[in-house]
Amino acid sequence: MTTLQPPAAAEPRPAPPPVRRDRRSWTGWGFLGPFVAVFALVFLAPLAYSVYLSLFRDQLIGGTTFVGLDNYGEALKDDRFWASLGRVSLFLAVQVPIMLGIALLVALALDSGRLYGRSFFRISIFLPYAVPAVVATLMWGFMYGTRFGLVGDINGALGVSLPDPLSPDLVLASIGNIVTWEFVGYNMLIFYSALRVVPHSLYEAAQIDGAGQIRVITAIKLPAIRGALVIATIFSIIGSFQLFNEPSILQPLARNAITTDYTPNYYTYALSFNGQQHNYSATVAIVMGLITMVIAYAVQLRGMRKGV
Amino acid sequence: MTSPVATASDRSAPTPSGTSRSAPRLRTPRRRHSADQPRRSVLLTVLTSLVLLYSLVPLVWLAISATKTQEGLSRSAGLWFDGDFALWDNITETFTYHDGVFTRWLLNTLLYVGLGAGGATFLAVLGGYALAKFDFPGRRAVFAVVIGAVAVPGTALAVPTFLMFSKMGLTNTPWAVIIPSLISPFGLYLMWVFATEAIPTELMEAARIDGAGEVRTFFRVALPLLAPGIVTVLLFTMVATWNNYFLPLVMLKDPDWYPLTLGLNSWNQQAATAGGEAVFNLVVTGSLITILPLIAAFLLLQKYWQSGLAAGSVKE
């Protein structure tokens, strides 16, 4: 999850800028051209190449042959793929609500103006976002460890034996904790920024009507930042489905618990770079991409529809 | 610019204050709404402090652990110092271990960040300016395609990008890391929203009437007005490239081209390999050194990027 999650990308587009129709010309392309050229090279071309790859199969005898949609058929019957998809879905269902819930509560607390030392809270809780996933995972990996970790300390100090966070039963929750730690502050900041631009006249009106804090939150603040909530949800979903860094870095510490088909992304990586099955790997990546897009799109439709 | 509401309330918001309840009366008359001046709550502060602790304890652990020798790490409690204070030794050893490969990784990271994040910001500023201030054929289509592509899991592109770059002879060179870093759809979006608000079209017209060409208008009129937005985009693209792990992992085989993230992970894995030397103290110290520049950048520039971010947030 090191990729920059664009929080604002799919937001309701801003009103069309004041552009004078009579100035419609090609000048804009001079400025946008460089971006589009690189974008085509690093986004569109690999995407097209990926689709092309997925239609072929590399055989020991006979070389590369066109197989149509056979790879897709194989992917849909692939138990390892479905198991990994199930794992990230479980992760998504538990981790994302917890993370976004905490982020929202903190953002509301900051916005309420009732905290002492507001800017200290805001910047401190955001800081983990600046920590690379590698460092975050190594750090938590050490802390989870019983050897020189905090878990070992607690066991020693209290004479208890906590379950090993890196055991097969708990490792998914442990990864969830790392991801939550990395992104709770980032999401908090997105929500907080959205809350800051809610017109304050609304609060005044609500106060005159005798609305309490909770009512102001549910009737004004949450609807006002619905766009930001939807965006954060969508990008958290994409992030969960892309899960790779944390499990792969944790893998040497939790050898039995994390396999190379632990998440769909890990699976495509292993297929390609350990197994040399580039064509099948591309197919799995495309299937995963399609599933992600469908779910993200569904969330967006649902999120934008309800209430006004 | 940022919404007047946000700036006004942010500016007059009392920052860390032990000020008592009489404080609101002293504040500027601009804050008319009593809804803006609620009582401070100890309970809420304590509850939020739990999240604060959660966020900071691992960083404190890292800072303390960086002062320990490898034996000290396993011997002492995680959140307190060991008898031996080995921070300076650790730092020296981190930079000299394996002929100073860490320094090499640091320089690589700076190279990737400089060209990748710098380039990404430049392209995003140019593109955002174009989307905000010009009407041209295909404008809407470009935006739809860029946003659509963001929903494609970026890592799903890694394999085909690798194969493509490998055919072009770019893998295992810095270009394989730098070129894909040049695109930041988030940066483009943010600059678009920001430029729409920050650059009055009349000002551009005036510059043109005065005979300035498009390039000159951009550099002399638009660029200074875009500064807070540029700082924001630059910080976020810097984080993305400084922290990048997956892309270099796929693209690079030669440790001499590793960025810090890959290097640290290779040090960590070294302990698990046969005959590999465990250097956990260096992993910990190297991690601390890796995160400090970004944390410093965020702290020092917070005034700018936070206002830039507020302008890019939802506004209806």
Side-chain angles (χ1 to χ4, degrees), chain A residues 68-135:
Chain A
L69 296 177
D70 284 7
N71 285 329
Y72 290 89
E74 194 186 328
L76 294 178
K77 286 181 295 186
D78 187 340
D79 292 339
R80 299 174 71 187
F81 170 65
W82 289 110
S84 67
L85 183 61
R87 207 169 281 121
V88 289
S89 304
L90 173 66
F91 181 89
L92 169 69
V94 179
Q95 186 266 337
V96 171
I98 292 176
M99 173 180 71
L100 295 184
I102 298 173
L104 182 61
L105 288 176
V106 176
L108 287 169
L110 285 172
D111 187 61
S112 75
R114 288 169 171 264
L115 288 183
Y116 292 96
R118 172 163 65 177
S119 45
F120 176 70
F121 276 103
R122 188 175 51 198
I123 189 72
S124 305
I125 294 174
F126 174 72
L127 276 189
Y129 176 69
V131 176
V134 174
V135 172

Side-chain angles (χ1 to χ4, degrees), chain A residues 2 4 6-14 16-21 23-29 31-32 34-36 38-39 41-47 49-50 53 102 106 109 112-132 134-135 138-140 142-143 147-148 150 153 177 180-181 184 186 189 192-194 196-198 200-201 203-204 207 224 227-228 235 238 242 244-245 248-249 252 255 265 268-269 272-273 278 281 285 288-289 292-293, chain B residues 3 5-6 9-10 13 15-17 33-36 38-42 44-45 48-49 51-52 54-56 58-59 61-62 73-74 77-79 123 126-127 129-132 134-137 139 142-143 145-147 149-157 159-164 167 179-180 182-184 186 188-189 193 196 201 205 208 214 218 236 239-240 243 245-246 249-250 261 264-265 268-269 272 280 283-284 287 290-291 294-295 298-299 302 305-306 309 312-314 316:
Chain A
T2 38
L4 178 66
E11 264 163 32
R13 306 190 184 151
V19 178
R20 284 172 46 186
R21 290 287 140 189
R23 281 204 67 89
R24 190 176 172 92
S25 72
W26 292 88
T27 319
W29 272 109
F31 290 100
L32 189 61
F35 181 95
V36 171
V38 184
F39 181 80
L41 178 69
V42 301
F43 258 91
L44 302 183
L47 208 58
Y49 190 46
S50 191
L53 280 176
I102 298 173
V106 176
S112 75
R114 288 169 171 264
L115 288 183
Y116 292 96
R118 172 163 65 177
S119 45
F120 176 70
F121 276 103
R122 188 175 51 198
I123 189 72
S124 305
I125 294 174
F126 174 72
L127 276 189
Y129 176 69
V131 176
V134 174
V135 172
L138 290 177
M139 231 161 58
W140 279 102
F142 284 139
M143 289 194 290
R147 212 148 50 99
F148 40 80
L150 293 182
D153 286 350
N177 175 51
T180 304
W181 183 81
V184 82
Y186 177 73
L189 204 70
Y192 178 73
S193 299
R196 295 315 298 169
V197 295
V198 177
H200 280 217
S201 53
Y203 301 150
E204 195 181 355
Q207 206 175 38
F235 285 102
I238 295 177
Q242 289 191 34
F244 174 84
N245 293 354
S248 76
I249 296 162
R255 240 168 239 292
N265 228 342
T268 55
Y269 174 81
S272 211
F273 293 96
H278 297 307
S281 169
M288 201 52 216
T292 311
M293 277 167 70
Chain B
S3 124
V5 179
S9 51
D10 259 346
T15 28
S17 62
H33 318 306
S34 57
D36 284 350
R39 271 185 209 165
R40 306 235 173 271
S41 160
V42 173
L44 195 62
T45 307
T48 315
S49 298
V51 185
L52 182 84
Y54 174 60
S55 299
L56 292 185
L59 298 176
W61 178 89
L62 186 68
L73 275 172
S74 46
L79 284 172
L123 293 182
L126 283 179
Y129 173 71
L131 287 168
F134 293 91
D135 192 12
F136 48 89
R139 181 168 159 269
V142 165
F143 187 70
V145 170
V146 171
I147 293 309
V150 177
V152 179
T155 32
L157 291 172
V159 171
T161 311
F162 168 79
L163 294 172
M164 230 177 69
K167 287 210 170 113
I179 294 173
L182 289 175
I183 290 301
S184 167
F186 167 60
L188 182 77
Y189 176 83
V193 177
T196 305
T201 308
E205 298 292 351
R208 286 182 188 128
E214 291 300 339
F218 172 72
F236 281 82
V239 172
N243 296 354
Y245 169 73
F246 189 75
L249 175 73
V250 169
T261 48
L264 284 173
N265 196 45
N268 186 51
Q269 288 180 337
F280 293 122
V283 174
V284 166
S287 295
T290 300
I291 68 173
L294 280 187
I295 288 186
F298 270 106
L299 291 179
Q302 56 169 314
W305 62 262
Q306 287 188 353
L309 204 64
S313 70
V314 194
E316 293 170 36

Side-chain angles (χ1 to χ4, degrees), chain B residues 185-251:
Chain B
F186 167 60
L188 182 77
Y189 176 83
L190 201 68
M191 281 319 303
W192 181 30
V193 177
F194 199 87
T196 305
E197 292 179 29
I199 306 172
T201 308
E202 298 75 32
L203 209 58
M204 291 170 62
E205 298 292 351
R208 286 182 188 128
I209 290 167
D210 288 349
E214 291 300 339
V215 175
R216 197 175 152 87
T217 307
F218 172 72
F219 280 103
R220 302 299 288 271
V221 177
L223 218 50
L225 293 168
L226 292 174
I230 294 173
V231 172
T232 314
V233 172
L234 190 62
L235 267 174
F236 281 82
T237 51
M238 263 176 63
V239 172
T241 42
W242 188 280
N243 296 354
N244 202 349
Y245 169 73
F246 189 75
L247 184 68
L249 175 73
V250 169
M251 296 291 177

Side-chain angles (χ1 to χ4, degrees), chain A residues 139-204:
Chain A
M139 231 161 58
W140 279 102
F142 284 139
M143 289 194 290
Y144 287 149
T146 41
R147 212 148 50 99
F148 40 80
L150 293 182
V151 172
D153 286 350
I154 296 172
N155 286 348
L158 304 179
V160 293
S161 72
L162 294 175
D164 177 6
L166 297 175
S167 65
D169 289 341
L170 286 179
V171 79
L172 192 63
S174 301
I175 293 170
N177 175 51
I178 298 174
V179 176
T180 304
W181 183 81
E182 289 178 280
F183 290 102
V184 82
Y186 177 73
N187 287 297
M188 174 268 292
L189 204 70
I190 298 302
F191 297 152
Y192 178 73
S193 299
L195 282 169
R196 295 315 298 169
V197 295
V198 177
H200 280 217
S201 53
L202 290 177
Y203 301 150
E204 195 181 355

Side-chain angles (χ1 to χ4, degrees), chain A residues 41-42, chain B residues 112 161-180 247-248 250-253 257:
Chain A
L41 178 69
V42 301
Chain B
Y112 301 153
T161 311
F162 168 79
L163 294 172
M164 230 177 69
F165 277 20
S166 150
K167 287 210 170 113
M168 297 157 81
L170 290 174
T171 44
N172 217 5
T173 71
W175 297 111
V177 178
I178 293 166
I179 294 173
L247 184 68
V250 169
M251 296 291 177
L252 304 174
K253 288 280 160 284
W257 284 118

